[in-house]
Amino acid sequence: MAESKAKTNTKAGTGRVTPIKIALYTLLALALIITPLIFEGYGWLFVPHIMALIGLYVMLALGLNIVVGFAGLLDLGYVAFYAIGAYAGVIVGAWAFKGAPALGPYIYFLMIPVAAAAAALTGLALGTPVLRLRGDYLAIVTLGFGEIVRIVITNNAFGITNGAAGLPAAGQFIPKPFGLDWLINNVYFNIPALGKNFIFTIDGNVYWYYMIVLLCLLTIFVVRRLDQSRLGRSWAAMREDEVAASSVGVSITAAKLWAFSLGALWGGIAGLTFANFQQFVSPESFTFMESVFIVCTIVIGGMGSIPGAIVGAIIIQGIPAFIQGMAAAGKIPGVDPSTATVIANYRFLVFGLFVVIMMAWRPQGLIPSKRRAAELKPDTAEMGDEESETLYDAQHDSGQF
């Protein structure tokens, strides 16, 4: 068994940077910068909006990946941290704006640590009582936690969430972030080579798209560093076998609490960004189905994989939203917005079937991490038998019983 583990770790590799990878990353960076500008210039305003939403899902998927993909803890209530970050940022931001109106353009940036801390502390509060739970039991508890948070917000907790009506309340507003008004009033141009219809201006969608891309890059950097750190190796050991990990000195309690709090932190930042991007937040945005979609994002894309989280977000959030946007803009002949909504509602059925097929034929996801792929799909049947061997089997074979 020790030999197969060594083979698994060798297969995970170190990810050497090659000229081909550098060229691909450069092309990807150019595509991320230019694509929204082109669509915005030709009047396809819904495309930058959808790309920004995909970015938010990427952040959520990467945050949940810490809990599910790295630590192996099934969390079905992750949307609760998304909601807590959104509401904490908006509520505290409104108080700060009321006390010091001059802070208006900086409220969003000042509220990022507030939303992150609120979500991370809530993650600790959730993680502490469920330390002994695993598998289905943990999933049920986290599911209940997500529903409790949504119900508390809907019932106007402490008189500050404004119930089902959402925030900001009547007569209030979320201040625009620094630089947005100036960019809207001063940045516009056309490029004759692209046609007379191409006139580029910056609106809120483009501004938030670039802001979300920067946050996604920060998330990817931090998540990669965590995965390669001592803590990341502790999560991998805990995910494979808690008893064995504990026997070699891994603190299971600390590893679980770090996973819950760090995963929740990114959910909180995504929630605050979502609230400012939409200029509104309500409990309807944080239903159980949102949690399911986030889980489906990493299951389809590949647990523990950063590229997988991006591909999963495009499939889960991008494709249905793009179809609806195309139909609403009259770009799909014969499909009106109401028909597109009906078609989009079938995504629940389509994604359900897709997940079942994935579990049967490719349980590691479309683009799994090398480590998880090696765990879920060993090279030989012998290695597979050794990987699935239980502690009892090992002790029985060694003659301890």
Side-chain angles (χ1 to χ4, degrees):
M1 183 163 183
E3 183 182 356
S4 73
K5 295 289 185 185
K7 290 178 180 178
T8 300
N9 292 335
T10 301
K11 189 173 181 178
T14 56
R16 188 163 57 92
V17 177
T18 64
I20 295 177
K21 282 187 176 180
I22 294 174
L24 288 175
Y25 288 149
T26 304
L27 289 174
L28 179 62
L30 290 174
L32 286 173
I33 295 171
I34 295 174
T35 302
L37 301 181
I38 293 175
F39 281 106
E40 183 81 8
Y42 284 115
W44 291 43
L45 306 181
F46 63 93
V47 176
H49 183 86
I50 292 170
M51 294 177 72
L53 290 178
I54 292 173
L56 285 173
Y57 256 71
V58 169
M59 286 184 64
L60 291 171
L62 290 172
L64 184 60
N65 234 342
I66 294 175
V67 185
V68 179
F70 294 168
L73 305 169
L74 182 54
D75 185 353
L76 292 180
Y78 188 71
V79 75
F81 306 120
Y82 190 35
I84 288 169
Y87 272 88
V90 171
I91 292 169
V92 178
W95 293 341
F97 181 59
K98 186 177 180 181
L103 293 177
Y106 311 102
I107 289 292
Y108 166 71
F109 304 100
L110 293 173
M111 289 303 110
I112 288 178
V114 173
L121 290 174
T122 308
L124 280 177
L126 171 65
T128 302
V130 300
L131 286 173
R132 294 180 180 275
L133 299 180
R134 299 176 61 187
D136 299 341
Y137 300 102
L138 177 61
I140 292 171
V141 171
T142 54
L143 186 157
F145 171 72
E147 284 300 286
I148 288 170
V149 169
R150 185 183 62 80
I151 292 170
V152 167
I153 292 173
T154 304
N155 286 280
N156 194 16
F158 307 107
I160 57 177
T161 63
N162 202 31
L167 293 173
Q172 299 178 344
F173 65 93
I174 297 176
K176 290 181 180 178
F178 174 75
L180 178 57
D181 278 336
W182 185 89
L183 291 170
I184 291 174
N185 295 324
N186 295 281
V187 177
Y188 56 91
F189 58 87
N190 61 0
I191 301 176
L194 296 177
K196 62 180 181 182
N197 293 327
F198 182 86
I199 302 174
F200 175 75
T201 59
I202 284 187
D203 61 7
N205 290 330
V206 176
Y207 179 94
W208 283 110
Y209 165 77
Y210 288 119
M211 188 67 69
I212 290 168
V213 167
L214 292 176
L215 288 172
C216 285
L217 293 176
L218 175 63
T219 310
I220 290 170
F221 173 77
V222 174
V223 169
R224 274 184 64 86
R225 296 295 295 172
L226 283 173
D227 189 28
Q228 297 167 355
S229 68
R230 180 184 178 91
L231 181 59
R233 291 192 291 274
S234 299
W235 287 334
M238 180 182 71
R239 182 185 68 229
E240 293 186 14
D241 192 324
E242 283 190 16
V243 176
S246 179
S247 67
V248 295
V250 173
S251 173
I252 301 300
T253 300
K256 285 186 176 182
L257 292 178
W258 274 116
F260 273 110
S261 59
L262 291 175
L265 182 148
W266 295 108
I269 295 176
L272 170 69
T273 307
F274 171 75
N276 281 266
F277 175 42
Q278 300 283 54
Q279 290 285 295
F280 178 73
V281 63
S282 74
E284 291 181 358
S285 299
F286 310 107
T287 61
F288 170 65
M289 287 310 300
E290 287 297 320
S291 273
V292 172
F293 282 146
I294 301 169
V295 173
C296 286
T297 299
I298 60 173
V299 169
I300 292 174
M303 285 188 286
S305 166
I306 293 173
I310 297 171
V311 170
I314 293 173
I315 294 173
I316 294 292
Q317 178 65 30
I319 293 177
F322 190 72
I323 293 173
Q324 278 189 296
M326 291 278 287
K331 305 295 184 183
I332 304 178
V335 179
D336 55 31
S338 61
T339 305
T341 302
V342 173
I343 294 173
N345 287 336
Y346 277 100
R347 70 186 187 279
F348 300 108
L349 174 63
V350 173
F351 291 152
L353 290 173
F354 197 20
V355 169
V356 171
I357 294 171
M358 289 289 296
M359 290 300 99
W361 296 99
R362 195 173 172 80
Q364 67 270 36
L366 294 175
I367 310 177
S369 68
K370 292 181 179 178
R371 183 184 293 167
R372 294 304 301 266
E375 293 170 5
L376 294 171
K377 200 174 181 61
D379 289 336
T380 64
E382 182 184 357
M383 289 177 63
D385 292 339
E386 291 178 350
E387 292 289 341
S388 59
E389 190 178 35
T390 64
L391 179 61
Y392 172 79
D393 295 333
Q395 293 171 331
H396 184 76
D397 293 343
S398 64
Q400 294 184 26
F401 292 103

